[in-house]
Amino acid sequence: MHASEKRLNEMNRLGDMLHFPAAVNAGATANVLLTVALTWWVEARYPLLPGIWLAIVLAVNLLPVVLLRLSLKPGTVYPRLGQMNFVHDQHKFSDWVYVGASANMAFWILLTWTVATLQRTTAALMAVEVVAFLATFSPVLFRSMLRAR
């Protein structure tokens, strides 16, 4: 099956994310960028608590998914990847996607915490934010580059 024909619950590889609407990537990117900024702020005030901060962020990100999954029924409609809505469909992925998303968020939190510990400057924060933006929004950037060819 071609990835563009897959439904959210049929995702079976990371490359399937290339088919999300730009708004979905923008929402995920905004979430990561906000988390990076908040992590920078939290690290300055509570430098010995990275594990607790990580647990809080993951819980805040996963709680809506867990609650919304309670509403899933056998007749639930799963949209195709390209028709996903960031708000209405965030709980309809295959389970492994949430593990990957949590690992990704943990990476950005721990990277930000480490950079903040080693080099607490505005330039360092901006560098992390730019790299996070480019990495997280890359599916949309790749699609744009492919269309331009």
Side-chain angles (χ1 to χ4, degrees):
M1 170 186 302
H2 188 269
S4 64
E5 299 172 13
K6 291 180 185 177
R7 297 194 178 278
L8 291 181
N9 60 326
E10 297 171 334
M11 283 182 64
N12 59 358
R13 58 189 202 89
L14 288 174
D16 292 343
M17 293 188 309
L18 289 171
H19 298 278
F20 290 160
V24 171
N25 291 102
T29 301
N31 188 23
V32 168
L33 296 177
L34 177 62
T35 301
V36 166
L38 288 173
T39 299
W40 194 268
W41 183 86
V42 169
E43 188 281 333
R45 283 142 188 85
Y46 309 101
L48 300 177
L49 303 177
I52 292 172
W53 174 243
L54 177 60
I56 290 169
V57 172
L58 293 182
V60 166
N61 276 274
L62 290 173
L63 183 60
V65 171
V66 170
L67 294 176
L68 287 168
R69 280 189 155 215
L70 295 174
S71 69
L72 294 178
K73 296 177 179 26
T76 297
V77 175
Y78 294 89
R80 298 206 184 281
L81 298 179
Q83 299 165 333
M84 180 196 174
N85 179 288
F86 183 74
V87 175
H88 298 117
D89 298 320
Q90 65 175 300
H91 61 292
K92 295 179 180 177
F93 291 111
S94 299
D95 293 341
W96 72 268
V97 175
Y98 302 105
V99 174
S102 295
N104 180 60
M105 189 61 81
F107 168 80
W108 290 113
I109 290 169
L110 296 175
L111 175 69
T112 303
W113 202 281
T114 302
V115 171
T117 300
L118 297 174
Q119 185 71 34
R120 179 163 282 285
T121 64
T122 303
L125 172 58
M126 290 300 103
V128 174
E129 290 279 17
V130 167
V131 171
F133 171 80
L134 291 173
T136 309
F137 204 62
S138 63
V140 175
L141 300 174
F142 287 140
R143 277 198 311 264
S144 299
M145 288 188 309
L146 290 174
R147 284 187 195 131
R149 295 175 100 198

